């Protein structure tokens, strides 16, 4: 019973973050939203009794992917002079 | 305007393709036959409590070999695309005071946590890939905090190559020592007591080598993406 | 069941992010969202009702190792989709890193991040 409610709440937060990533004005906000989606997915894997997958998704999805996105954003921003969006 | 109509039509068509998966789905009541074979065989034949590690390293070992080679190819591609900046060390700004103090305190603990995760992969959730990523994130914290910290690319290349060669030669050792159709079989090493650290054959050694390889690959990717720029 | 519906909706949302926006980085973010949705769908297939994590120690069955697997058969979740998703997450990271390196070089060459500025490559 408590598991079902937690799953529904996590699913709604993930979908809200995905819709926010589509309509956000700045790319930085969309990158943080994709990190939030990976974090919610990692908690959902833990509730569904798969701890190896939860650990892998938390480190790689919410950690390393966001860091590599931020580095690429820094290099793209320093090429052009101004921000486009 | 017509672009939006076409996009909505494409999304609806895709949803109609995925609909039978949601409609005919029922939560399973018991394990499928292949999964019950693996769950029974893992503590009996391989002496390993973690069944997911048994599937990844032994029963589907060829998939793990392919994954390690895909990771190697992607790292080589990233290193090829990004130029390296030389003699620009004075342009890196040091981290703030909180980051420098925190890095001195936290980095040894992060490294020990990473080594614990990949060496206990057969006893508790974890394994080579998770431990490697934790070690790479510890090295990233050192890169961001200190200016004088220079990652030596030669050391990373050597450790990655030696780990990869050792992993493949352990797989070939199973082929030579046991029989002709036992590639990547870890039973040639002695199996210790159940739930001890040195048990389950060669699996701790294999997972530690995979952990070192993944950690040095990702640290090399992060260092080269940090240093990217024009050549002097 | 809820996990599978969330996964399918995330796949649809990610595909629509890839089609709707024109900057390169937004398309790569959409690709990451599709990847996460597919992993949710695969792990949702392997769930057994009322099951626990597939690690056979004394909490699951307190029998000697030769017989522990038989007692654990009725209480453990399917381990095979977990192993497949473990591989898939790492490969998704490798492909995302390669796409980002390509995007950085492309933006330096053409001096723009809008995908419709690179039309001289088509013919």
């Amino acid at each position: 019973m408590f598991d079902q409610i937690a799953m529904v709440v996590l699913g709604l937060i993930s979908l809200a973050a995905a819709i926010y990533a589509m309509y956000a004005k700045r790319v930085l906000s969309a990158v943080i939203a994709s990190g939030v989606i990976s974090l919610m997915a990692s908690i959902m894997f833990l509730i569904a009794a798969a701890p190896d997958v939860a650990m892998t998704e938390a480190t790689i999805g919410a950690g390393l992917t966001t860091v590599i996105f931020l580095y690429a954003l820094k290099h793209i921003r320093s090429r052009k002079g101004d921000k486009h969006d | 305007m017509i672009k939006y109509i076409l996009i909505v039509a494409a999304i609806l068509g895709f949803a109609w393709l995925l609909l039978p998966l949601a409609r005919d789905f029922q939560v399973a009541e018991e394990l499928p036959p292949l999964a019950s074979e693996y769950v029974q065989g893992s503590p009996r034949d391989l002496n390993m409590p973690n069944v997911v590690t048994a599937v990844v390293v032994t029963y589907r070992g060829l998939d793990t070999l392919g994954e390690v080679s895909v990771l190697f190819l992607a790292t080589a591609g990233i290193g090829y695309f990004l130029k390296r900046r030389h003699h620009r060390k004075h342009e890196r700004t040091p981290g703030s005071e909180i980051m420098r103090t925190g890095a001195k305190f936290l980095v040894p603990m992060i490294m020990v946590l990473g080594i614990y995760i990949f060496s206990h992969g057969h006893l508790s959730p974890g394994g080579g890939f998770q431990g490697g990523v934790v070690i790479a994130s510890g090295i990233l914290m050192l890169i961001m905090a200190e200016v004088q910290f220079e990652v030596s690319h030669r050391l990373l290349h050597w450790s990655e190559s030696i780990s990869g060669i050792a992993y493949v030669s352990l797989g070939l050792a199973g082929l030579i020592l046991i029989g002709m159709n036992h590639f990547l079989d870890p039973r040639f090493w002695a199996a210790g007591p159940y739930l001890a650290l040195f048990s389950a054959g060669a699996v701790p050694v294999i997972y530690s080598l995979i952990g070192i390889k993944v950690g040095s690959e990702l640290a090399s990717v992060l260092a080269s993406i940090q240093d990217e720029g024009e050549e002097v | 069941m809820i996990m599978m519906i969330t996964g399918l909706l995330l796949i649809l949302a990610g595909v629509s992010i890839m089609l709707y926006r024109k900057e390169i980085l937004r398309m790569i973010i959409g690709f990451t969202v599709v990847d996460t949705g597919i992993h949710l769908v695969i792990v949702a297939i392997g769930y057994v009702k009322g099951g626990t994590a597939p690690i056979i120690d004394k909490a699951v069955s307190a029998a000697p190792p030769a017989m522990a697997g038989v007692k654990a058969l009725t209480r453990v979740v399917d381990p095979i989709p977990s192993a497949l998703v473990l591989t898939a997450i790492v490969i998704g990271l490798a492909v995302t890193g390669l796409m980002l390196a390509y995007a950085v070089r492309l933006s330096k060459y053409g001096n723009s991040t809008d995908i419709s500025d690179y039309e001289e490559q088509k013919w």
Side-chain angles (χ1 to χ4, degrees):
Chain A
M1 179 61 191
F2 186 62
D3 291 349
Q4 312 267 18
I5 299 179
M7 283 276 218
V8 168
V9 168
L10 291 171
L12 287 176
I13 296 179
S14 310
L15 286 172
I19 295 181
Y20 178 68
M22 182 151 65
Y23 286 114
K25 284 202 178 50
R26 303 167 45 165
V27 183
L28 185 61
S29 313
V31 167
I32 307 275
S34 95
V36 165
I37 291 179
S38 284
L39 192 62
M40 296 301 133
S42 155
I43 304 179
M44 276 201 264
F45 286 146
L46 196 61
I47 295 180
D52 293 271
V53 182
M55 199 189 286
T56 308
E57 175 76 33
T59 52
I60 291 185
L64 230 57
T65 298
T66 307
V67 166
I68 293 188
F69 263 115
L70 289 174
Y71 267 134
L73 195 60
K74 172 185 101 164
H75 285 310
I76 287 182
R77 283 285 171 79
S78 72
R79 301 265 177 239
K80 328 178 297 188
D82 46 348
K83 303 183 193 184
H84 262 208
D85 47 355
Chain B
M1 187 59 207
I2 196 161
K3 180 183 92 156
Y4 298 128
I5 296 181
L6 284 179
I7 287 180
V8 169
I11 299 289
L12 284 178
F14 206 59
W16 179 70
L17 277 180
L18 290 177
L19 192 61
L21 188 55
R23 200 178 45 209
D24 302 334
F25 178 64
Q26 288 147 351
V27 182
E29 303 280 339
E30 58 178 19
L31 286 180
L34 183 61
S36 48
E37 273 290 321
Y38 287 164
V39 165
Q40 272 177 324
S42 167
R44 184 184 58 206
D45 303 329
L46 299 174
N47 213 10
M48 212 185 312
N50 193 357
V51 187
V52 177
T53 299
V55 175
V56 164
V57 175
T58 309
Y59 292 120
R60 305 276 165 154
L62 213 50
D63 295 344
T64 306
L65 189 60
E67 168 187 7
V68 162
S69 49
V70 164
L71 205 54
F72 169 69
L73 278 177
T75 306
I78 293 177
Y80 171 69
F81 269 124
L82 302 175
K83 285 197 233 179
R84 202 166 303 156
R85 200 195 297 213
H86 301 288
H87 308 296
R88 289 284 185 100
K89 215 167 46 171
H90 62 274
E91 273 197 16
R92 276 167 60 185
T93 62
S96 65
E97 172 116 18
I98 292 183
M99 182 149 228
R100 268 182 286 140
T101 317
K104 286 196 180 87
F105 177 59
L106 280 177
V107 169
M109 297 208 290
I110 292 180
M111 295 295 191
V112 168
L113 177 70
I115 296 179
Y116 175 81
I117 287 181
F118 69 62
S119 66
H120 281 75
H122 56 289
L123 298 174
S124 63
F129 300 103
Q130 293 93 325
V133 172
V134 168
I135 287 185
S137 70
I139 295 183
L140 172 70
M141 188 164 194
L142 269 182
I143 289 178
M144 284 204 295
E146 303 279 337
V147 175
Q148 298 104 342
F149 183 71
E150 270 269 314
V151 171
S152 150
H153 283 268
R154 176 174 303 219
L155 173 68
L156 290 177
H157 288 165
W158 271 106
S159 83
E160 169 187 350
S161 313
I162 292 185
S163 311
I165 293 177
Y167 169 52
V168 175
S169 61
L170 272 183
L172 283 176
L175 191 70
I176 298 176
L177 290 178
I178 300 186
M180 265 321 277
N181 48 355
H182 283 269
F183 183 51
L184 282 174
D185 202 345
R187 275 176 275 196
F188 65 94
W189 208 289
Y194 199 61
L195 287 181
L197 180 56
F198 290 109
S199 65
V203 168
V205 185
I206 289 180
Y207 244 174
S208 306
L209 288 172
I210 290 180
I212 295 176
K213 180 175 170 73
V214 168
S216 41
E217 264 171 357
L218 290 175
S220 149
V221 161
L222 286 170
S224 75
I225 234 180
Q226 160 113 12
D227 289 345
E228 196 256 345
E230 313 289 329
E231 283 181 352
V232 175
Chain C
M1 187 63 192
I2 300 175
M3 211 155 104
M4 167 159 287
I5 295 179
T6 306
L8 292 173
L9 286 176
L10 270 180
I11 294 179
L12 288 177
V15 169
S16 79
I17 292 180
M18 279 204 286
L19 288 176
Y20 180 61
R21 288 289 200 146
K22 277 194 185 298
E23 298 118 25
I24 296 183
L25 274 189
R26 251 338 135 150
M27 292 182 182
I28 300 180
I29 289 176
F31 179 82
T32 313
V33 173
V34 169
D35 225 6
T36 304
I38 293 179
H39 299 151
L40 277 171
V41 168
I42 296 182
V43 172
I45 289 180
Y47 183 63
V48 170
K49 194 176 289 189
T52 173
I55 297 179
I56 303 177
D57 56 352
K58 297 218 174 14
V60 171
S61 90
M67 290 295 297
V70 180
K71 295 262 172 42
L73 265 186
T74 54
R75 302 178 52 173
V76 152
V77 175
D78 200 355
I80 301 180
S82 289
L84 298 177
V85 171
L86 214 67
T87 304
I89 291 178
V90 176
I91 292 185
L93 166 77
V95 171
T96 301
L98 202 54
M99 279 198 293
L100 280 172
Y102 187 63
V104 165
R105 289 290 286 181
L106 191 65
S107 88
K108 177 187 167 200
Y109 169 72
N111 227 1
S112 143
T113 55
D114 208 342
I115 201 85
S116 52
D117 283 343
Y118 294 100
E119 290 200 352
E120 81 266 4
Q121 315 272 352
K122 300 194 275 199
W123 50 277

